Amino acid sequence: MDASRSSFIGIKLTAEELFAVRVDLAATVHDRFSLPLPDHDVDTIVEQIAQAVRRLSEAGDVAGVGISLAGTATPGDPVVGNSPFLGWSHVALAKLVEDAVGVPTVLNNDVRALTAAQQWFGAGVGHSSFALVTVGAGIGCGLVVEDRVVTGRSGGTGLIGHLAIDDRGPLCELGHRGCARAFAASSAIRRSIATTLDRPELTFDDCLELARQGQPVARRVLDDAGRALGRVIATVANVIGPDLVILSGEAVHMYDVCADALQAALTRHTHWTSTPVRVTVKPFTFDEWARGAAVSALQHLLLHS
């Protein structure tokens, strides 16, 4: 197959930036582009998306556009149901973009789009069942069961961020005590360490470095985060029995600091009759998430054309 005979564009939206890539039929990235988002106005972002599509289309015709974002979105629905980071509810984004660029457009939740890319072109190849767990600003999960990406009703799958870990733990931003996000989201880790040490200037990476050096507060917070992630992964594994769990996301480099605590919690909370699940760490870039959006468009248009 000549993979270059068709191109797809993938767009990943964050709260602050747009990341875009152009891929071929083998999901190889041939070009990339990013833009800051000046605000979250729908018309403004549609124009930003159109600008990215026009720029990446200069090399030739594009068969489809995929857009991924945090929130409820599925390939079969042109409407973003809800996207908290953007403050959107019931936005017909796919139709607005199609009208602007004249190219079929497919939406997907960002974690589910990344899962689709791993299924066809990444670490999930050859595995009929696997899970993708992402850690960063939030905690997300994508599921493949018997060779199918699980979507659920209205795209409501993989909502593990507020899974209860310890009812004596810290509060998340929604007021849940001791949920996974309160322990393991990058913002929660930074806030806990910076507040306790009275060092508001600390970044997330500063906190990781303190933990590597053995600073007691940072070490405890990262160990707690690792234990929370281990319990989340064990819960996912107990429910679907995957061949593999892929760990990724913008804060995945924290694994190097909390791996021992994560693995200990994973062993402790995995059901005693189950084979221990294998965890593989996938380095993160936002371009990879944009590539996932392109793969979502490729999959949907190939399977429904």
Side-chain angles (χ1 to χ4, degrees), residues 163-297:
L163 182 71
I165 301 297
D166 185 346
D167 60 11
R168 298 166 298 176
L171 291 172
C172 77
E173 72 281 6
L174 294 180
H176 302 144
R177 184 167 296 283
C179 68
R181 188 164 174 154
F183 278 108
S186 55
S187 58
I189 291 170
R190 192 210 69 81
R191 183 173 60 251
S192 180
I193 295 172
T195 300
T196 304
L197 295 179
D198 194 21
R199 294 185 59 185
E201 80 282 1
L202 289 175
T203 66
F204 175 67
D205 284 342
D206 291 337
C207 293
L208 295 187
E209 184 57 33
L210 287 174
R212 287 190 189 95
Q213 295 171 3
Q215 201 287 329
V217 171
R219 184 71 265 167
R220 176 186 59 77
V221 172
L222 265 297
D223 283 346
D224 286 347
R227 281 188 284 269
L229 283 177
R231 185 163 182 173
V232 165
I233 293 170
T235 299
V236 172
N238 291 339
V239 171
I240 71 165
D243 303 330
L244 173 73
V245 173
I246 303 166
L247 184 64
S248 190
E250 66 265 35
V252 72
H253 54 300
M254 68 187 277
Y255 179 81
D256 294 337
V257 182
C258 65
D260 289 345
L262 186 155
Q263 290 293 341
L266 176 59
T267 299
R268 178 183 177 189
H269 293 288
T270 299
H271 193 273
W272 63 274
T273 63
S274 300
T275 302
V277 65
R278 181 164 67 92
V279 176
T280 185
V281 177
K282 174 75 175 177
F284 170 86
T285 68
F286 276 114
D287 286 349
E288 185 68 14
W289 290 65
R291 178 174 176 260
V295 171
S296 289

Side-chain angles (χ1 to χ4, degrees), residues 8-9 62-66 94 97-99 101-107 297 300-301:
F8 290 81
I9 290 174
V62 171
V65 173
V97 172
E98 281 190 17
D99 290 345
V101 301
V103 178
T105 301
V106 173
L107 307 180
H300 186 74
L301 295 174

Side-chain angles (χ1 to χ4, degrees), residues 56-81:
L56 293 176
S57 298
E58 292 174 357
D61 291 340
V62 171
V65 173
I67 302 171
S68 74
L69 71 171
T72 50
T74 60
D77 190 339
V79 176
V80 175

